Amino acid sequence: MFIIASVYIYRDVFPLATFTRRPVDENKGWLLWSRLALVALTGLVIPLFIPRSYVPVDPLSAPDQLNPEQTACLWSFLTFSYLDPLVITAARSKQLSYENFPPLADYDKSAYLMSQSTPILDPHFHGEDRHLFWSLMREFSLEYTFLSLITVIQCLSGFIAPYALNNLLSYLEDWNHAVIRPWVWALCLFIGPNISSIAYQCYLFFVTRILVHTEAIITQLVFNHALRIRMKENHITEIGNAAATSKKTPLPASAKPQNSQSSNLEGNLNNLITIDLGNIAGKYFVYLALYGPLQFSISVFFLYSILDWSSVVGIAFTALSIPLPGYTAKLLSNLQRERMKRTDARVQFVTEILSVIRMTKLFGWEDKISKQIAEKRNVELVFLRKRKLWNLVNNSLSFIFPLVTMVASFACYTLVQRRDLNVAVVFTSIVIFQQLGSSMHTILTTLPVIINAKISLTRIDDFLKKTDLLDRFTQKQKNNESSQVANAEQNLSPDTIDFRDATFSWTVNEAQATSDSSQQGYRLRIDGELFFQRGKLNLIVGSTGSGKTSLLMALLGEMHFIPNGSDAGYSLPRERGVAYAAQEAWVQNGTVKDNILFGKAFDDDRYRKVIQQCALKPDIDIFEAGDNTEVGEKGLTLSGGQKARITLARAVYSDTEIVILDDIFAALDVHTARLIANECLQGDLLKSRTILLVTHNISLVAPFADFVVHLGLGGTIKSQGAMPDMLRVDKELFKEVIESEAIEIKQVAVIVPMDGPNPKDTKTSKLIIAEDMPVGHVKWRALKLYLSNVGNPLLLTGAVVNLLLSALTTSLSTWFLGYWAGIYSEERSSDVPVASHTIHEGLIASVLGATLRWFDTVPTARIIARCTQDIDAIDGAVPSNLMGVLHISVIILINFAAVVMFVPVFLIPGLVVFLLGVISGQLYIQAQLPVKREMSNRRSPVIAHFRATISGLVSIRAYDAQEAFRLESLSRIDGYTRPARTFHNVSRWIGIRSEAIGSAFTASLAAYLVHTRTFRTPSETGFVLAMAVAFSDKILFWIRLLNEFEVQCNSLERIDSYLNIDQESKPTYEGNPPAHWPASGSLTVENLCARYSADGPEVLHNLSFDIKSGERVGIIGRTGSGKSSLTLSLLRCIPTGGEVFLDGLNTSSVNLNALRSSITIIPQVPELLSGTLRENLDPFTEHSDASLNDALRSAGLFTLQEGGELSSKITLDSPISGGGNNFSIGQRQILALARAILRRSKVLILDEATSAIDYATDSIIQTTLKDVLKNTTLIIVAHRLQTVIDADRILVLDAGEIVEFDSPGNLLKMNGGYLKSLVDESGEQDALYRMVAKAEVLGN
């Protein structure tokens, strides 16, 4: 029917558009027109408006709801009218919820996308050395082929208007010889731009769909690959005693500048799925490869047909100038690559600081850390500014080349060819030259974008190919390694848990680890065979740093296997599952119950037993929401003991046959540890299950342990065997058991369970608050945030004046050429990144100055999103769109003034066009802003899931829970994809309508000028039409750009919301204490009250006590008694009342940084920063190496390393990974203690600071501390009596009030006293009384 309609149109309709022809079937009268109407209805209208049928991508799982785009008729699809209900809903309600967005189409779901793309894109699957770009081209080959076809249609239709303009002006000059009626050309001025617009919007529809699909695929691809990587990067040389934990994070750029990509792993992951993913601008690739060259070629053809060989002169100049843009493109590429390296370093540092924000605030480091971040940001901005300057050069070239080409061509046409310029030649050539300029501008401006995309794609490609994978994921074509991996399990029985002649390291390349003898890679060497007994309790013991955790990591496959012989191997049966409880407990951001279940089905009876046997019932009882209480990010609302027991409960609740427990007693008091040993390890839930237990509390489990492995320094197996036999043979083990028993007598529990935050500080179980989403337009406050920080106002004023002169010059040149024919063109200002620097500085200062309570309620991923994608928008999109709005504003004012000057009657139509554009823009922005906000908010959960997965990667792999985490990632990506698809489609909706309005204005003006051609010259008509075309095009583009600018200002809005958060008190001049303060560590507390939030209940009630300088004071009490609250109150970390005097000065009048620099706290799980040991002890280079070594010696590090190999000892240059995760917790506690000694604070608070250190080392450290810190006031928060029984005084808390406060001797004399009852009920009261008596004798 379409062909028949085309025939009728050619025979009987087209002749009506001419002066010389008549319709062929004119004699048939009304029958002809009836046939034409019927053919048009069946051949055009019905196909355009009939709904399309839906075909699911998977017939077996059709979705419940369909996206309107899947069934919309062709007309609705091409004009995006199927989005009208969404736009109308937004206009009526002023806000859209997530449920208002169109459902996710089945072909947009990430699970389907991954099933189709993984074999092509994932190097782990296809095994080819193919760049990610070519893999993407292969994956989307059909889509890009279709896009190429659409691009050709758009490019060709873009020349309909210039062709029509040429013929229209020719008609005005010589209408007597015209063949085609002028209304046809006027109609073409409407039809041509609309065809081009529809083609362009269809192009953008498909290319943005590809873009969103690419975001989803690459995000999941990076996530899947992260599940395979070895968290100890192979380029890092390891320290000998630092193999204790599972997560192995590489060093920052400062430590390893030669390999930024590898050294900033966590920062890289954040950048890969935010900034780099945003840089992959696939929508510009076809433009650069096809549209620009095609438009350039057609422009050259048209120019040659109009100007003859004169056009060749200008084109030749352009061709000769091509190397210059190539040079600028190369510079831009290098600058972008260097800038991204600096961005990686900044994001990594910010990410790491946020992960240790409590340490940062407790040490009063906010100002110093802020300066370090500012330094990294300034280096990044140097490259950003250089890139902007070269972008300016690039944009200037895109303006200059067409202008010079036009001038040279016209000069040659008139001066050399001696031909006269007429109106048709001039104005048609101007439009063609504008098209030529557009193609040059397209090529030169998209080239930097493509370069950025290439660099980002290469970075992602490097991550997918060059990161070190676990042995079991090593590519099969690497024959040497694949044979090792295969033999690791083939040489041993699959039913045994054993090792044979195996060596393990954290590095893949053995030669690399041994190349530097001063920092030799850690080796765990097992000579002969080591068998663990199935269905029994197996102990793994050894001194701190001996590699106990490394043995577990080797068994779990986390370390690299190096065979010592042909029959070497290791085996861990996984058929019946493996459960793992890490020494550094890992909990997810969810409820207590969710963390215990860990995806398993709920069994009420089993669950209750787990709660009881893991000593969690008292904790759950005091939580207001019970086991539905949210634990917060990284379990920040829980104490170390509570996290350890939840991690243990997860392992016990699982139905796995093998349970691996890494030092679960380290964070527990002895009473709780004994309860777990008796009820849990010997309970019915672990009966007949294989248990591998790392512990220092040997005597606690020795009576019922079946097998023991004793490790020595350097990662060697000293002995192994049944417990009774080992006690007879291994004298060192026997000695450790005796010491353990002696210490255990002293370690009678204070109370069960350990102290945690008071749960009454919140009224509900919901801890993490939903992210605020503003309603309506972006507020002036957000825009003012940028404009007020641009810098010198003269810069912005100068830019506007420059743009005004540029636009005025362009318009005058067009008028002059028209005047010349009648009688015989921009420089963009590039703003210096002043605003970007100031806003980033303000954001960091605001975040670092926030209260600890704010960090409890805001996931770190939200903060990181502001520091990455939102800051990136302020670096690029916001200033670019702002200058674009200013530039276009000036142009449309001048163009409109030119039209009205010559055709005053079109003042009203121009205003109507402007009004229609504003109405359309308002409808668009009311729909687009909430979509953009939801899109931004939905990105944070994806990042948060990444962070949580990386932090618990070893546990996830041990439980074989990767698939569950993959599914959760897919779900969160779908949550982001839904608003992302809607966001791009709504932009298409406004694009179609704005182009229709503009082309209607131009066509009507052309018709009017033709109708009134006798009232003005052809040159005036040509000029007015040229200005009208520019006005109608620019005014709608201005509206779109203005709306896009407002959408991008959502990043300003999001950052502005973080500039107005709850802040701690800022330092003042009056708050600076005297230089000598504090001269002593005396503390006086009067009527101290405290609460966790301003509107929360009190957790401390009118506490009054004093501590003399140099005293050792122990603090004990039951869970929720206020021990942790008291330490936080002394540091003013929570809202307090009353008065605290330190060395006679009221601390409420002292600046926080000064106060926290005078009081040092060592938490149970200390935190370290990536870098070297020297940088951790002295992050601001304030001490000499001699002082650092003295502090390490006092903390017991050198004692710990006695007898070890020189090459494996920890030195000041030893590398430390993020969080200190390449050290055991015991080693980290020693380093934290050394850092505290180095600070020389007058008050030192210890919170079970040596709980993870073996007993011999702990005894040495305690003796050393008494000598080194004899003039320091020690406040010891204790979970066991052994730690505080010999203190000068003991303070007992209960329900936030002081129950007892006196010396241990006096308290033990109080009948019915709290401390006396604890000691008398311990069963070891004689030993404890002797300790008190000994301390009193020494004190006297």
Side-chain angles (χ1 to χ4, degrees):
M1 294 303 296
F2 179 78
I3 296 176
I4 295 175
S6 300
V7 171
Y8 271 109
I9 291 174
Y10 177 76
R11 285 167 54 90
D12 300 310
V13 177
F14 176 71
L16 297 177
T18 67
F19 289 106
T20 59
R21 297 178 58 184
R22 306 292 296 175
V24 176
D25 303 313
E26 185 178 17
N27 58 346
K28 295 183 179 180
W30 64 269
L31 184 58
L32 168 64
W33 304 113
S34 300
R35 288 177 177 177
L36 285 174
L38 183 60
V39 169
L41 178 65
T42 57
L44 295 177
V45 177
I46 293 179
L48 280 175
F49 291 94
I50 189 172
R52 292 177 296 139
S53 60
Y54 162 70
V55 179
V57 295
D58 184 2
L60 299 179
S61 58
D64 297 330
Q65 288 183 301
L66 296 180
N67 190 304
E69 77 179 46
Q70 296 176 284
T71 57
C73 67
L74 186 59
W75 174 260
S76 179
F77 180 80
L78 293 176
T79 61
F80 298 89
S81 299
Y82 62 86
L83 290 173
D84 288 348
L86 178 73
V87 175
I88 293 172
T89 301
R92 290 176 177 174
S93 62
K94 305 299 182 183
Q95 180 64 9
L96 291 174
S97 64
Y98 186 78
E99 290 70 24
N100 293 131
F101 301 161
L104 199 62
D106 51 2
Y107 48 70
D108 289 332
K109 292 185 177 179
S110 52
Y112 169 75
L113 294 173
M114 291 307 297
S115 67
Q116 300 296 308
S117 62
T118 297
I120 299 174
L121 296 178
D122 195 338
H124 181 69
F125 281 85
H126 62 68
E128 301 176 18
D129 188 17
R130 185 174 64 227
H131 195 279
L132 183 59
F133 170 77
W134 299 112
S135 296
L136 286 171
M137 292 302 297
R138 181 175 173 182
E139 169 65 18
F140 297 110
S141 57
L142 291 177
E143 287 86 345
Y144 276 113
T145 301
F146 182 65
L147 287 175
S148 300
L149 177 62
I150 295 177
T151 301
V152 172
I153 295 174
Q154 180 205 349
C155 189
L156 293 176
S157 60
F159 286 91
I160 294 177
Y163 183 74
L165 180 63
N166 178 269
N167 284 276
L168 187 61
L169 293 176
S170 296
Y171 168 80
L172 292 175
E173 283 194 307
D174 187 11
W175 57 271
N176 291 319
H177 296 87
V179 176
I180 304 297
R181 297 181 184 273
W183 62 264
V184 175
W185 305 123
L187 187 62
C188 286
L189 290 175
F190 175 78
I191 295 176
N194 277 280
I195 294 176
S196 179
S197 174
I198 291 175
Y200 179 59
Q201 298 305 327
C202 286
Y203 169 87
L204 289 179
F205 170 82
F206 286 106
V207 83
T208 52
R209 190 172 76 177
I210 293 174
L211 190 61
V212 174
H213 287 181
T214 302
E215 287 182 336
I217 291 171
I218 291 183
T219 300
Q220 188 64 24
L221 202 63
V222 172
F223 181 84
N224 290 346
H225 192 73
L227 292 175
R228 308 183 195 115
I229 63 176
R230 192 191 312 278
M231 292 305 288
K232 171 64 62 181
E233 286 290 274
N234 60 357
H235 69 280
I236 298 179
T237 53
E238 265 309 303
I239 53 180
N241 294 329
T245 60
S246 57
K247 293 185 299 177
K248 307 296 173 186
T249 308
L251 303 180
S254 59
K256 287 281 181 181
Q258 73 273 20
N259 196 336
S260 175
Q261 170 70 13
S262 298
S263 59
N264 292 327
L265 180 59
E266 191 169 358
N268 273 350
L269 286 175
N270 285 323
N271 279 345
L272 290 178
I273 62 173
T274 53
I275 297 176
D276 285 315
L277 207 52
N279 285 342
I280 301 176
K283 66 180 180 180
Y284 295 110
F285 171 69
V286 176
Y287 257 47
L288 182 67
L290 183 61
Y291 182 83
L294 181 61
Q295 189 182 45
F296 184 87
S297 301
I298 298 175
S299 298
V300 170
F301 172 78
F302 265 89
L303 285 174
Y304 184 79
S305 65
I306 297 172
L307 297 176
D308 201 16
W309 60 265
S310 296
S311 62
V312 178
V313 176
I315 303 301
F317 171 81
T318 302
L320 293 174
S321 305
I322 287 178
L324 188 57
Y327 175 73
T328 61
K330 182 179 179 180
L331 284 176
L332 286 169
S333 176
N334 293 334
L335 288 172
Q336 176 65 8
R337 188 178 295 107
E338 292 300 318
R339 181 221 167 183
M340 288 307 300
K341 289 181 181 179
R342 273 65 183 183
T343 302
D344 283 346
R346 173 181 62 84
V347 173
Q348 164 68 11
F349 189 66
V350 171
T351 301
E352 190 172 11
I353 291 301
L354 291 175
S355 67
V356 295
I357 190 65
R358 289 178 177 270
M359 180 190 76
T360 302
K361 298 188 76 64
L362 291 176
F363 280 16
W365 285 352
E366 295 95 329
D367 291 342
K368 296 178 179 178
I369 291 295
S370 182
K371 290 179 181 178
Q372 289 186 342
I373 295 175
E375 290 174 2
K376 294 180 181 293
R377 176 63 173 166
N378 288 338
V379 174
E380 179 189 5
L381 288 177
V382 168
F383 287 92
L384 177 64
R385 187 175 187 275
K386 289 180 180 178
R387 180 168 161 266
K388 282 181 173 289
L389 290 175
W390 280 104
N391 265 332
L392 174 61
V393 173
N394 203 46
N395 291 339
S396 299
L397 291 177
S398 69
F399 165 75
I400 293 172
F401 286 169
L403 181 62
V404 173
T405 300
M406 181 172 67
V407 172
S409 297
F410 283 146
C412 184
Y413 188 77
T414 57
L415 299 178
V416 178
Q417 289 189 263
R418 302 292 182 177
R419 297 175 65 176
D420 295 333
L421 285 175
N422 57 48
V423 173
V425 169
V426 168
F427 288 105
T428 304
S429 298
I430 289 175
V431 174
I432 299 300
F433 275 119
Q434 288 175 348
Q435 297 274 34
L436 181 64
S438 175
S439 64
M440 290 295 297
H441 183 76
T442 298
I443 294 173
L444 294 179
T445 56
T446 58
L447 193 58
V449 179
I450 296 297
I451 290 170
N452 293 347
K454 176 186 178 297
I455 293 172
S456 292
L457 273 175
T458 300
R459 283 159 51 84
I460 296 173
D461 188 67
D462 287 345
F463 173 76
L464 295 176
K465 293 178 180 176
K466 297 182 180 180
T467 46
D468 184 19
L469 304 183
L470 297 184
D471 287 349
R472 62 179 178 269
F473 297 118
T474 304
Q475 295 180 6
K476 299 300 181 184
Q477 61 264 34
K478 295 181 180 179
N479 297 324
N480 293 334
E481 290 187 16
S482 64
S483 62
Q484 293 175 6
V485 175
N487 290 335
E489 296 185 359
Q490 288 178 3
N491 292 334
L492 301 175
S493 171
D495 298 326
T496 59
I497 307 174
D498 58 344
F499 298 88
R500 178 190 298 162
D501 294 329
T503 297
F504 297 90
S505 71
W506 290 111
T507 56
V508 173
N509 190 337
E510 183 180 7
Q512 178 187 13
T514 58
S515 61
D516 187 352
S517 60
S518 65
Q519 289 189 341
Q520 182 179 358
Y522 174 80
R523 289 290 183 270
L524 174 69
R525 185 179 181 88
I526 302 173
D527 295 320
E529 291 187 325
L530 170 59
F531 286 89
F532 292 101
Q533 297 185 7
R534 298 290 295 271
K536 305 293 184 179
L537 174 60
N538 303 267
L539 290 187
I540 303 171
V541 300
S543 60
T544 301
S546 61
K548 300 181 294 297
T549 299
S550 295
L551 183 65
L552 300 183
M553 294 299 99
L555 194 59
L556 290 170
E558 295 292 327
M559 298 183 71
H560 178 57
F561 167 64
I562 305 171
N564 296 338
S566 58
D567 60 346
Y570 68 98
S571 174
L572 177 66
R574 291 178 175 267
E575 290 77 10
R576 297 176 58 188
V578 176
Y580 173 65
Q583 182 182 15
E584 187 176 2
W586 173 69
V587 293
Q588 295 177 272
N589 187 0
T591 65
V592 172
K593 185 175 182 179
D594 290 339
N595 272 280
I596 295 175
L597 296 182
F598 201 55
K600 298 291 183 182
F602 179 71
D603 183 328
D604 185 65
D605 182 58
R606 185 180 184 86
Y607 182 77
R608 290 179 183 275
K609 286 184 179 181
V610 169
I611 296 299
Q612 184 65 40
Q613 293 180 14
C614 294
L616 282 169
K617 191 174 187 306
D619 300 89
I620 292 177
D621 288 342
I622 65 171
F623 290 148
E624 187 172 340
D627 59 1
N628 287 318
T629 299
E630 284 192 2
V631 302
E633 195 170 37
K634 295 184 178 181
L636 53 85
T637 64
L638 303 174
S639 68
Q642 288 168 331
K643 286 190 286 187
R645 281 175 281 136
I646 289 175
T647 304
L648 173 63
R650 178 193 303 146
V652 175
Y653 184 84
S654 69
D655 55 1
T656 60
E657 191 270 335
I658 299 174
V659 180
I660 300 176
L661 308 175
D662 190 358
D663 209 1
I664 56 173
F665 300 130
L668 307 180
D669 61 78
V670 172
H671 186 98
T672 306
R674 186 182 295 116
L675 185 151
I676 288 177
N678 295 333
E679 295 192 13
C680 183
L681 295 182
Q682 300 183 78
D684 59 331
L685 294 180
L686 290 181
K687 186 177 181 180
S688 300
R689 296 168 74 177
T690 303
I691 304 174
L692 276 64
L693 173 64
V694 169
T695 184
H696 289 299
N697 295 13
I698 307 174
S699 63
L700 194 63
V701 291
F704 54 89
D706 300 292
F707 189 81
V708 61
V709 176
H710 188 192
L711 297 181
L713 286 176
T716 60
I717 307 297
K718 298 185 69 173
S719 61
Q720 58 174 302
M723 178 61 76
D725 298 335
M726 291 295 296
L727 292 177
R728 290 194 301 270
V729 176
D730 193 334
K731 295 182 180 180
E732 186 176 340
L733 177 63
F734 180 78
K735 181 181 178 181
E736 288 187 20
V737 173
I738 297 302
E739 291 177 350
S740 169
E741 290 175 345
I743 295 294
E744 188 182 346
I745 290 175
K746 303 174 185 178
Q747 292 177 344
V748 178
V750 173
I751 196 66
V752 179
M754 295 175 6
D755 184 40
N758 193 314
K760 296 180 181 179
D761 64 336
T762 179
K763 297 180 180 179
T764 68
S765 65
K766 193 70 175 175
L767 177 69
I768 304 300
I769 58 175
E771 191 164 5
D772 292 333
M773 194 166 69
V775 178
H777 290 278
V778 171
K779 303 300 185 290
W780 165 248
R781 176 191 181 94
L783 183 58
K784 182 181 177 183
L785 171 67
Y786 185 83
L787 296 178
S788 61
N789 288 297
V790 166
N792 190 338
L794 294 177
L795 288 175
L796 188 60
T797 305
V800 174
V801 172
N802 187 27
L803 293 173
L804 178 62
L805 294 176
S806 173
L808 185 60
T809 302
T810 302
S811 298
L812 287 175
S813 66
T814 304
W815 175 84
F816 175 75
L817 287 171
Y819 176 75
W820 182 10
I823 60 174
Y824 174 102
S825 163
E826 144 199 65
E827 180 182 346
R828 292 189 58 177
S829 176
S830 177
D831 60 307
V832 294
V834 176
S836 184
H837 167 78
T838 307
I839 292 172
H840 181 269
E841 190 177 61
L843 173 64
I844 294 299
S846 180
V847 169
L848 292 180
T851 62
L852 285 179
R853 183 64 181 174
W854 184 81
F855 286 102
D856 291 345
T857 59
V858 176
T860 305
R862 295 183 188 173
I863 307 174
I864 292 175
R866 265 95 178 157
C867 294
T868 52
Q869 61 189 32
D870 290 325
I871 286 294
D872 188 57
I874 293 175
D875 285 346
V878 171
S880 175
N881 284 335
L882 174 61
M883 293 308 299
V885 168
L886 294 175
H887 177 214
I888 302 301
S889 298
V890 171
I891 289 178
I892 62 173
L893 286 175
I894 292 176
N895 289 343
F896 184 64
V899 171
V900 173
M901 183 184 301
F902 287 92
V903 190
V905 70
F906 259 76
L907 173 63
I908 296 177
L911 294 177
V912 170
V913 169
F914 178 78
L915 183 61
L916 290 175
V918 169
I919 293 174
S920 299
Q922 286 298 306
L923 291 174
Y924 161 75
I925 205 65
Q926 287 175 354
Q928 189 71 310
L929 269 180
V931 175
K932 173 64 175 177
R933 287 163 177 158
E934 189 69 49
M935 179 179 165
S936 299
N937 289 353
R938 290 279 173 169
R939 195 65 183 161
S940 295
V942 178
I943 301 173
H945 186 62
F946 250 89
R947 286 172 50 81
T949 301
I950 294 300
S951 64
L953 191 52
V954 176
S955 295
I956 294 169
R957 289 198 287 234
Y959 279 94
D960 197 22
Q962 296 98 313
E963 188 60 28
F965 279 77
R966 285 193 189 99
L967 293 176
E968 177 63 23
S969 177
L970 292 172
S971 175
R972 297 192 181 201
I973 291 173
D974 284 344
Y976 166 79
T977 301
R978 186 175 175 182
R981 288 281 286 117
T982 305
F983 171 79
H984 292 297
N985 289 348
V986 172
S987 296
R988 309 288 74 75
W989 181 90
I990 185 63
I992 289 287
R993 281 144 188 81
S994 62
E995 191 64 52
I997 296 172
S999 57
F1001 172 78
T1002 303
S1004 60
L1005 178 60
Y1008 175 80
L1009 292 175
V1010 170
H1011 180 69
T1012 59
R1013 61 182 182 273
T1014 57
F1015 295 98
R1016 59 187 57 82
T1017 65
S1019 62
E1020 292 177 343
T1021 302
F1023 173 72
V1024 171
L1025 277 178
M1027 291 295 100
V1029 169
F1031 169 74
S1032 61
D1033 182 47
K1034 298 297 183 184
I1035 191 171
L1036 279 309
F1037 179 68
W1038 176 79
I1039 292 171
R1040 292 207 307 267
L1041 196 60
L1042 182 63
N1043 293 333
E1044 178 64 22
F1045 174 64
E1046 186 171 3
V1047 169
Q1048 291 296 337
C1049 282
N1050 175 241
S1051 292
L1052 285 171
E1053 198 173 47
R1054 285 161 52 83
I1055 290 178
D1056 183 62
S1057 67
Y1058 273 36
L1059 297 179
N1060 300 277
I1061 55 180
D1062 294 337
Q1063 296 283 300
E1064 294 183 319
S1065 58
K1066 300 299 180 183
T1068 62
Y1069 178 78
E1070 294 76 14
N1072 292 322
H1076 65 275
W1077 182 88
S1080 69
S1082 62
L1083 268 174
T1084 301
V1085 178
E1086 298 178 356
N1087 300 317
L1088 178 64
C1089 302
R1091 62 188 76 224
Y1092 277 94
S1093 58
D1095 57 349
E1098 282 190 355
V1099 293
L1100 296 179
H1101 312 288
N1102 299 315
L1103 303 187
S1104 297
F1105 60 90
D1106 65 275
I1107 300 176
K1108 298 176 183 177
S1109 179
E1111 267 194 307
R1112 295 178 69 245
V1113 177
I1115 301 178
I1116 63 175
R1118 67 181 68 249
T1119 297
S1121 61
K1123 302 191 296 295
S1124 296
S1125 303
L1126 176 57
T1127 60
L1128 293 176
S1129 298
L1130 295 178
L1131 292 165
R1132 288 169 55 195
C1133 292
I1134 56 178
T1136 60
E1139 296 179 321
V1140 177
F1141 295 90
L1142 174 59
D1143 192 22
L1145 188 62
N1146 194 328
T1147 59
S1148 63
S1149 64
V1150 178
N1151 290 333
L1152 284 177
N1153 57 350
L1155 172 63
R1156 293 171 183 173
S1157 298
S1158 304
I1159 301 176
T1160 299
I1161 183 170
I1162 305 177
Q1164 185 172 356
V1165 181
E1167 296 167 321
L1168 301 177
L1169 298 170
S1170 62
T1172 63
L1173 177 54
R1174 179 185 290 103
E1175 292 167 343
N1176 267 272
L1177 294 179
D1178 187 21
F1180 309 109
T1181 60
E1182 298 169 337
H1183 303 278
S1184 66
D1185 284 2
S1187 299
L1188 302 183
N1189 281 314
D1190 287 342
L1192 290 173
R1193 184 178 295 105
S1194 300
L1197 178 64
F1198 295 167
T1199 302
L1200 175 66
Q1201 297 186 125
E1202 288 180 356
E1205 296 181 6
L1206 179 63
S1207 61
S1208 64
K1209 288 186 177 181
I1210 301 174
T1211 67
L1212 292 177
D1213 294 320
S1214 296
I1216 297 179
S1217 63
N1221 292 322
N1222 58 335
F1223 285 82
S1224 68
I1225 293 182
Q1227 290 170 317
R1228 276 183 263 170
Q1229 288 182 335
I1230 290 175
L1231 299 183
L1233 189 59
R1235 184 165 54 196
I1237 293 173
L1238 195 64
R1239 281 166 62 93
R1240 300 292 179 183
S1241 300
K1242 290 299 181 180
V1243 179
L1244 178 61
I1245 303 174
L1246 294 93
D1247 184 3
E1248 281 295 294
T1250 58
S1251 61
I1253 299 174
D1254 63 86
Y1255 297 124
T1257 307
D1258 185 28
S1259 178
I1260 296 172
I1261 291 173
Q1262 295 298 336
T1263 302
T1264 305
L1265 287 181
K1266 291 178 183 178
D1267 297 332
V1268 176
L1269 303 176
K1270 57 185 177 182
N1271 295 322
T1272 300
T1273 302
L1274 294 179
I1275 300 176
I1276 306 170
V1277 178
H1279 304 134
R1280 54 196 186 193
L1281 288 176
Q1282 175 268 343
T1283 309
V1284 297
I1285 198 65
D1286 59 347
D1288 297 321
R1289 287 191 288 174
I1290 295 178
L1291 187 150
V1292 182
L1293 290 175
D1294 185 38
E1297 297 179 348
I1298 297 178
V1299 178
E1300 298 172 358
F1301 185 39
D1302 208 337
S1303 66
N1306 291 337
L1307 292 179
L1308 291 176
K1309 296 174 184 177
M1310 297 173 54
N1311 291 327
Y1314 186 90
L1315 180 63
K1316 180 176 174 59
S1317 63
L1318 283 176
V1319 173
D1320 291 344
E1321 294 171 4
S1322 66
E1324 303 294 343
Q1325 60 268 34
D1326 292 340
L1328 292 171
Y1329 274 96
R1330 285 196 298 271
M1331 290 182 64
V1332 174
K1334 181 179 178 181
E1336 289 181 341
V1337 171
L1338 293 176
N1340 296 329

